Amino acid sequence: MNAQIKELQPAERFLAMIRGNRLPLMVAPMFLVSGPDLAIAAEKSGVIGSFPAPNARDVPALRQWMVRIRDEIAAGSWALNMIVHRSYERFDQELALVEEFRPPIVATALGSPRRVMDAVHGYGGIVMADVTTPTLARKAVDAGVDVLVLVTHGAGGHTGTCHPFALLHEVRQFWPGPLGLAGAISCGRDIRAAQVLGADFAVMGTRFIATVESLAGEGYRDMLVASGIEDLVASAEISGVMANWLKGSIQKNGEAAPAASKKTEIDFSGNISVAPKAWKDVWSAGHGVGGITRVQSVMEVVDQLQEQYLACLADEASFLKAMTSQGAG
Ligand SMILES: Cc1cc2nc3c(=O)[nH]c(=O)nc-3n(C[C@H](O)[C@H](O)[C@H](O)COP(=O)(O)O)c2cc1C
């Protein structure tokens, strides 16, 4: 990070980071999918990388991952995703690692970002929070977050249920700061569309699961390549929170597709790196899954996204030219 950027406030620093990157894009943290390889490849491809702390088997393994990331990308564009839910037993040990290794961004999930605020701001880091409703967005703002990510209908993993247009417009009424949009964003045009709606950046998860650098197994990757939006089911029954799942992975385990309404209790107590059935055997994907046509490297995906994004900007420029010349005539 250059000295000038370091002087800025966290929110300004985040926007400067996005503008200095190749695309306004963050590769989302994904349980059992993103580890250091994916985070480092994303950062080296010119976008923000991330991984969820619980993906490391235990705290010593997480420490090794943090050492590797510090050595390879230092204070580049990357985020550590932390579970801040009260039942998550590794929280205090992970926070101690955060204070030691100082990830430039800490992205919180499943609880209030308040729990990390002092520690992360204490070393000049940026706090980002995922939210799915205006109420949760207001709570995160009140807690002092620097960056909000709106997780909307059709997102992979724990999905939102709000329409992206509506949620973005409502949150923009009270949040002028850095704002990301997540949910079924799968090509360069979608990234531009997120900006047109008023977001500062896009967050993409599903599109990066079938990459060489992800932790996803071959069966999961193959199913993503073969699947489209109609191959998904949304249910709160599998992990306790509403999420989108690949129907084929449910059937593969000999089970019937779940009912969307039934809920179980969230519980992160115990060793969650011994993966529960959900995520390990029952696989998640977002509505943008149809955009995955083969397994690629992260760099190839980002190259393709950039090409599509630039083509979209060129179309906008010629559309604007045509509109203004018509007006002049
Ligand atoms: C398999 C999978 C696992 C996920 N795990 C996490 C997680 O551990 N923490 C988190 O904050 N978000 C998680 N997410 C949600 C993503 O951060 C992001 O919001 C989502 O992938 C965006 O939607 P998209 O997949 O349609 O691009 C996960 C998503 C997927 C697909």
Side-chain angles (χ1 to χ4, degrees):
M1 206 186 306
N2 72 39
Q4 262 174 342
I5 291 184
K6 224 172 169 182
E7 294 303 310
L8 300 172
Q9 291 301 308
E12 292 169 327
R13 197 162 343 116
F14 180 80
L15 291 175
M17 184 191 280
I18 290 271
R19 285 181 200 126
N21 277 351
R22 232 173 119 195
L23 277 174
L25 176 65
M26 171 166 165
V27 179
M30 292 179 280
F31 189 45
L32 303 191
V33 171
S34 23
D37 286 343
L38 185 50
I40 291 168
E43 208 274 348
K44 291 196 169 168
S45 303
V47 300
I48 301 176
S50 69
F51 72 87
N55 278 359
R57 176 178 75 248
D58 49 29
V59 175
L62 179 60
R63 178 164 231 294
Q64 281 174 1
W65 285 13
M66 303 280 262
V67 168
R68 191 179 149 206
I69 290 195
R70 181 187 59 196
D71 292 349
E72 293 197 35
I73 54 178
S77 298
W78 74 280
L80 179 75
N81 175 227
M82 292 182 77
I83 292 179
V84 287
H85 194 265
R86 63 192 178 289
S87 69
Y88 185 55
E89 288 164 4
R90 270 166 49 173
F91 177 81
D92 290 336
Q93 290 165 283
E94 288 183 0
L95 195 63
L97 285 183
V98 162
E99 288 181 296
E100 182 183 349
F101 288 92
R102 306 181 162 199
I105 305 169
V106 171
T108 64
L110 299 166
S112 171
R114 214 178 277 278
R115 294 186 77 189
V116 305
M117 208 62 70
D118 287 347
V120 178
H121 283 167
Y123 66 79
I126 296 162
V127 179
M128 172 187 278
D130 273 13
V131 294
T132 50
T133 62
T135 302
L136 292 175
R138 278 183 203 280
K139 279 191 183 168
V141 170
D142 290 346
V145 288
D146 308 302
V147 182
L148 283 179
V149 174
L150 306 181
V151 180
T152 64
H153 183 69
H158 291 152
T159 186
T161 51
C162 291
H163 190 282
F165 288 17
L167 184 58
L168 212 145
H169 298 327
E170 225 175 289
V171 170
R172 267 292 182 226
Q173 287 169 22
F174 60 88
W175 175 249
L179 188 62
L181 187 65
I185 295 178
S186 59
C187 67
R189 274 184 186 272
D190 297 352
I191 299 174
R192 180 65 192 140
Q195 286 185 307
V196 170
L197 287 176
D200 296 295
F201 67 108
V203 178
M204 292 171 81
T206 298
R207 184 69 179 82
F208 286 88
I209 306 174
T211 53
V212 177
E213 295 88 346
S214 96
L215 300 170
E218 206 179 326
Y220 190 0
R221 293 174 195 211
D222 290 348
M223 196 174 282
L224 289 164
V225 171
S227 296
I229 188 169
E230 290 164 295
D231 298 307
L232 300 174
V233 59
S235 171
E237 196 180 324
I238 293 173
S239 70
V241 179
M242 184 59 78
N244 282 305
W245 305 99
L246 286 160
K247 286 183 205 166
S249 67
I250 300 171
Q251 284 149 3
K252 187 175 63 65
N253 286 287
E255 289 182 26
S261 56
K262 200 174 151 198
K263 257 188 116 167
T264 50
E265 199 47 39
I266 315 181
D267 184 7
F268 290 105
S269 56
N271 184 357
I272 74 159
S273 66
V274 179
K277 203 159 174 276
W279 313 107
K280 183 169 174 254
D281 303 316
V282 180
W283 301 320
S284 178
H287 285 189
V289 64
I292 303 170
T293 53
R294 63 199 157 91
V295 177
Q296 293 169 289
S297 69
V298 169
M299 184 67 91
E300 276 177 308
V301 176
V302 175
D303 285 347
Q304 204 176 334
L305 294 173
Q306 191 189 30
E307 201 176 301
Q308 294 162 342
Y309 179 86
L310 293 176
C312 187
L313 284 182
D315 284 354
E316 283 178 38
S318 51
F319 184 67
L320 182 65
K321 200 170 162 200
M323 291 286 285
T324 41
S325 62
Q326 261 175 25

